[in-house]
Amino acid sequence: MIDLGLSKLAIIGVVALIVIGPEKLPKVARMAGTLYGRAQRYLHDVKSEVSREIELDELRNLHKEVHESAESFKSEVEQSMSSHVDEVEALWDGREHVSSSSSSSGASFVSTSDIERKARDFRRKKLVRTSAVPAWYKHRNGGKTHVLSGAARVRKFRPSSSKSKSSFF
């Protein structure tokens, strides 16, 4: 960079005043200022464009890495799913083939009737949990028919405040 001190700027100003003249010096100074501003803006635009290109290259590389890792994850999932599907198909086709492999791994064999019974019990318990009790049954057995908020319950069992005020007067 050019090292311009106060003395050097004063010498340049005196030479410009002598060479250009006092009439044209303000116009030349204005033109030099606008050209300097344009040059600064141009350099700023070039720097920002270069930084954008660098960021874009980094994003492309990151996208490539993410895509490769997603593909590897997808292949692993597909491979594990195919192995599990093969196991289920083997269970469906013949129990003795899979039971021998499961007994060697230490797992116990579960019969079809046990699975059906557990599924039936689960459905029955879920029906009991999710089914609504009819209103006529609640009325007959003293259950709640609708939900009251805390403020509504207080209002229901206390006399209203307007009645108590009127009784004092």
Side-chain angles (χ1 to χ4, degrees):
M1 219 93 206
I2 300 173
D3 186 27
L4 293 176
L6 187 60
S7 61
K8 291 181 182 179
L9 285 176
I11 293 172
I12 292 172
V14 170
V15 170
L17 183 61
I18 293 171
V19 172
I20 296 172
E23 298 93 27
K24 294 182 182 179
L25 186 62
K27 290 180 183 178
V28 171
R30 218 175 296 128
M31 180 66 71
T34 57
L35 289 175
Y36 182 72
R38 284 184 190 172
Q40 279 187 336
R41 282 191 296 276
Y42 178 72
L43 287 174
H44 183 274
D45 290 344
V46 168
K47 286 180 184 178
S48 64
E49 186 68 30
V50 167
S51 66
R52 272 190 237 130
E53 286 294 324
I54 291 171
E55 289 175 0
L56 187 62
D57 287 340
E58 290 174 357
L59 285 176
R60 284 183 186 142
N61 291 337
L62 180 64
H63 180 267
K64 183 180 175 182
E65 291 174 5
V66 168
H67 192 340
E68 290 173 355
S69 65
E71 286 294 324
S72 66
F73 181 72
K74 180 181 175 185
S75 65
E76 290 175 7
V77 168
E78 287 175 349
Q79 185 180 13
S80 67
M81 287 298 294
S82 65
S83 67
H84 291 301
V85 166
D86 292 341
E87 290 176 13
V88 169
E89 286 176 352
L91 275 172
W92 187 260
D93 291 342
R95 296 245 179 237
E96 64 279 347
H97 173 68
V98 176
S99 65
S100 64
S101 65
S102 65
S103 63
S104 65
S105 65
S108 62
F109 182 75
V110 179
S111 67
T112 308
S113 61
D114 290 340
I115 295 172
E116 289 173 355
R117 182 181 48 78
K118 287 180 181 179
R120 196 177 325 113
D121 290 342
F122 177 77
R123 284 191 299 268
R124 188 178 305 131
K125 289 177 183 175
K126 184 176 181 185
L127 179 65
V128 167
R129 280 193 313 257
T130 59
S131 65
V133 178
W136 62 267
Y137 183 80
K138 288 181 181 179
H139 284 295
R140 187 170 64 177
N141 293 326
K144 292 182 181 178
T145 56
H146 60 280
V147 178
L148 287 176
S149 68
R153 277 185 257 134
V154 168
R155 176 79 176 155
K156 182 178 178 182
F157 295 112
R158 286 190 181 168
S160 67
S161 60
S162 62
K163 290 179 184 178
S164 62
K165 287 182 181 177
S166 62
S167 65
F168 289 110
F169 294 109

